[in-house]
Amino acid sequence: MARHKSSPPAIRRRGVGMLRWAVRVASSIVLWTALLHLSSLLGLPRPPLLAARPSCLGGGGGSNSSASSAVTVAAADEVGRLAPPAVPRRTSDTLTLCQNLRSSHVGTWNLEAICDMVTVARYMNLTMVVPELDKQSFWADPSDFGDIFDVNHFINSLQDEVKIIRELPQKFSRKVPFSMQPISWSSEKYYLRQILPLVRKHKVVRFSRTDSRLANNGLPLKLQKLRCRVNYNALQFAPSIEALGKKMISALRKTGSFIVLHLRYEMDMLAFSGCTHGCSDEETAELTRMRYAYPWWKEKEIDSEKKRLEGLCPLTPGETTLVLKALGFPRDTRIYIASGEIYGGEKRLTELKTEFPNIIRKEMLLSADELRPFQKHSSQMAALDYLVSIASDVFIPSNDGNMAKVVEGHRRFMGFHKTIQLDRKKLVELIDLLEDQELSWDEFSTAVKELHEGRMSEPTRRKAIAGQPKEEDYFYANPHECLGAARKRREKLKHTEI
């Protein structure tokens, strides 16, 4: 019986098919090898072949979802996004992972904490619940996240990186989340090795304190850039706040340039810091009582004058007035005051208003009807100040607190707009010498100007101090990993001016 012979076209088809199969196998091996090397470089465990992305909205393991996840890893790398982390999971696991956020800063909203927790959730491949805000602070602001930020934009702008949901699903309604405080200034490896096992065990974990929980330095570049993406893109204020902010900025711009003075001389700051320089005995006693009334303000006995000489107190309105004059700001400078209620009332601003009569407050730019919905919501009022601050020609904070640092970083990101970083430790020495008549005014003014040369938000790298994260430069004040475009814009502007 004659043996059947394949026709030449059939042989060619089989040959082409085998060649395609071989190419696919080789490509898979190359891709997998590259992924292993990437994991090693980032200090992560080797990725499993199958890893399903968890979701608070349900879903589980299985070949289909796992295969889709593997495809997503490759596609994410190709477009430059963060690849899903290499977290080993059992293929039969239907683990639901959620994360809740609560800010415990002295104020009621904390941009940096939100950015950090989104980054942590993305790194561990968790689903994040829209943040809660602290309502137990001195100001007792009842505002929710959605009263301050645009929730839809927040969720939608990050949907390619992390799943964010508005609230826990019904199946978790009776479950009490495991509550904890992550260790401050932790690296991404801490969350992978210490926190992820807790999330797996308890299913839902709530971080009750989130300020300064992620390191300034030493994180992978893509994590640092994600922090910036959240801060400068995903976190937009609610439409009502944005609209009023634009109206205020437009009104200020119509009459020329203006500076913003972030005068952090408010009751909560003075009580918390223990800084009472310039206060009466009655005021000092009132601030001390307030500090003892809040158990989470751990420092009780504070030497105010010692702290001031160390540069750890906000400048008083009077001290700030001297500094503005010494820096050469003319009398007709238009100064917008970004602050809550100044402790001691308008009398504390007498010297500032005498030397700089063009003082502007919110109440001068907006009607009573426009401001009324915000009156008892200090966080929303602060958001208005934030928008004006990042738009000003010059920003000058009297203290390097939370908002001052974030505004400085935002202004760097926008093109290194001028922020004068006051050296309070040396300034109070000079002010005391001036008041003791050991320095003339001209000597004082010259010294103040020389002191602040190079402290105007010029491009620079953060100062990193191993083992002392509180002493090193803060990421959100100078996110230099994200500032390449801003630096190019500034260099182009300089070249154009020349």
Side-chain angles (χ1 to χ4, degrees):
M1 199 173 175
R3 188 177 355 183
H4 175 74
K5 296 182 179 180
S6 299
S7 63
I11 293 174
R12 285 196 296 271
R13 283 195 296 272
R14 283 201 298 271
V16 171
M18 292 183 67
L19 180 61
R20 288 176 177 170
W21 177 84
V23 170
R24 289 172 182 167
V25 171
S27 299
S28 298
I29 293 172
V30 171
L31 179 61
W32 188 247
T33 303
L35 188 57
L36 288 176
H37 283 298
L38 179 63
S39 300
S40 298
L41 287 173
L42 295 179
L44 301 176
R46 293 191 174 188
L49 286 170
L50 302 177
R53 182 182 176 90
S55 169
C56 272
L57 300 179
S63 59
N64 291 338
S65 61
S66 298
S68 297
S69 181
V71 171
T72 302
V73 172
D77 286 338
E78 289 170 5
V79 298
R81 286 170 35 213
L82 283 169
V87 181
R89 302 189 185 99
R90 300 184 299 276
T91 55
S92 61
D93 202 345
T94 57
L95 196 63
T96 302
L97 306 177
C98 301
Q99 189 174 45
N100 209 348
L101 169 70
R102 182 179 177 191
S103 172
S104 60
H105 187 69
V106 176
T108 44
W109 53 276
N110 191 337
L111 287 169
E112 317 98 288
I114 297 169
C115 299
D116 283 355
M117 291 302 104
V118 170
T119 302
V120 166
R122 179 64 184 91
Y123 179 71
M124 293 195 293
N125 228 10
L126 307 182
T127 297
M128 180 177 173
V129 180
V130 167
E132 295 177 33
L133 300 181
D134 177 23
K135 298 178 182 178
Q136 300 178 6
S137 67
F138 165 76
W139 299 107
D141 188 338
S143 298
D144 290 320
F145 185 87
D147 297 321
I148 304 169
F149 300 103
D150 187 331
V151 179
N152 289 334
H153 179 79
F154 178 63
I155 294 174
N156 294 335
S157 64
L158 294 168
Q159 62 184 351
D160 64 332
E161 293 288 2
V162 61
K163 177 169 284 187
I164 302 174
I165 59 176
R166 293 175 180 271
E167 58 186 14
L168 284 172
Q170 185 65 31
K171 63 181 178 179
F172 289 108
S173 60
R174 295 184 179 180
K175 183 176 180 60
V176 178
F178 176 75
S179 184
M180 65 167 296
Q181 297 178 9
I183 296 175
S184 298
W185 310 111
S186 295
S187 72
E188 82 284 5
K189 296 181 181 65
Y190 160 78
Y191 287 94
L192 188 66
R193 296 168 183 170
Q194 303 295 325
I195 302 300
L196 186 61
L198 294 174
V199 181
R200 286 177 141 185
K201 177 181 178 181
H202 297 283
K203 313 301 182 187
V204 181
V205 170
R206 181 191 214 195
F207 290 162
S208 59
R209 184 182 291 269
T210 55
D211 50 325
S212 304
R213 302 294 141 166
L214 196 56
N216 288 314
N217 303 297
L219 299 181
L221 178 61
K222 288 187 176 181
L223 290 183
Q224 297 287 51
K225 289 192 172 183
L226 179 56
R227 295 165 97 176
C228 293
R229 176 179 171 184
V230 180
N231 197 16
Y232 306 123
N233 179 24
L235 280 173
Q236 290 187 4
F237 291 118
S240 59
I241 294 175
E242 289 280 349
L244 279 188
K246 289 178 181 178
K247 181 174 181 178
M248 295 167 69
I249 294 166
S250 177
L252 287 163
R253 285 276 175 233
K254 283 181 181 178
T255 49
S257 61
F258 68 97
I259 73 172
V260 166
L261 177 60
H262 184 224
L263 202 54
R264 194 69 168 97
Y265 203 80
E266 301 149 334
M267 189 175 188
D268 69 318
M269 169 55 74
L270 300 179
F272 173 73
S273 64
C275 295
T276 57
H277 180 77
C279 293
S280 66
D281 292 343
E282 292 78 11
E283 289 172 331
T284 299
E286 180 182 38
L287 294 171
T288 302
R289 286 195 300 271
M290 179 182 172
R291 183 166 68 254
Y292 277 90
Y294 288 84
W296 51 89
W297 291 359
K298 295 180 181 179
E299 270 191 294
K300 300 298 182 181
E301 296 295 334
I302 297 176
D303 185 331
S304 176
E305 285 306 309
K306 179 181 178 182
K307 200 166 185 179
R308 173 179 176 267
L309 292 175
E310 291 173 348
L312 300 177
C313 288
L315 295 181
T316 68
E319 290 172 335
T320 305
T321 303
L322 291 174
V323 172
L324 292 178
K325 285 183 61 181
L327 287 171
F329 285 98
R331 177 178 171 80
D332 61 352
T333 299
R334 297 167 66 246
I335 302 176
Y336 176 90
I337 302 293
S339 74
E341 183 178 348
I342 299 298
Y343 186 62
E346 289 300 308
K347 66 179 182 180
R348 276 254 153 69
L349 297 177
T350 300
E351 186 175 349
L352 180 63
K353 289 181 175 180
T354 300
E355 297 294 339
F356 297 96
N358 290 332
I359 297 295
I360 305 167
R361 304 293 293 266
K362 300 181 195 67
E363 296 77 10
M364 301 168 65
L365 301 173
L366 300 172
S367 68
D369 288 340
E370 288 173 318
L371 274 176
R372 190 170 293 112
F374 299 87
Q375 289 292 350
K376 296 183 179 180
H377 302 276
S378 60
S379 54
Q380 296 179 49
M381 296 285 267
L384 292 173
D385 282 341
Y386 186 95
L387 288 171
V388 176
S389 296
I390 62 174
S392 64
D393 295 279
V394 184
F395 177 68
I396 308 174
S398 65
N399 188 49
D400 62 349
N402 180 56
M403 178 172 165
K405 290 177 180 177
V406 180
V407 169
E408 178 188 345
H410 201 148
R411 291 172 63 83
R412 285 176 180 269
F413 184 81
M414 293 170 63
F416 298 96
H417 296 172
K418 183 178 289 187
T419 298
I420 301 181
Q421 303 141 333
L422 300 179
D423 187 334
R424 295 187 310 282
K425 182 175 182 179
K426 293 182 179 178
L427 278 174
V428 296
E429 293 178 11
L430 292 173
I431 290 170
D432 288 348
L433 289 172
L434 176 70
E435 292 180 344
D436 292 341
Q437 298 183 347
E438 295 183 35
L439 280 181
S440 68
W441 174 257
D442 288 342
E443 290 172 329
F444 174 75
S445 180
T446 298
V448 170
K449 289 173 182 174
E450 291 178 351
L451 178 60
H452 291 90
E453 291 178 359
R455 296 180 65 89
M456 305 281 184
S457 296
E458 289 84 357
T460 181
R461 294 186 68 84
R462 285 191 311 278
K463 178 179 66 176
I465 306 176
Q468 300 182 59
K470 289 184 178 181
E471 304 301 321
E472 64 186 7
D473 292 341
Y474 192 43
F475 172 83
Y476 289 98
N478 182 17
H480 65 74
E481 296 91 334
C482 312
L483 302 182
R487 187 175 290 108
K488 289 179 181 177
R489 286 195 300 271
R490 178 162 179 159
E491 290 173 355
K492 184 178 179 180
L493 181 61
K494 284 185 177 180
H495 180 73
T496 303
E497 291 173 349
I498 292 173

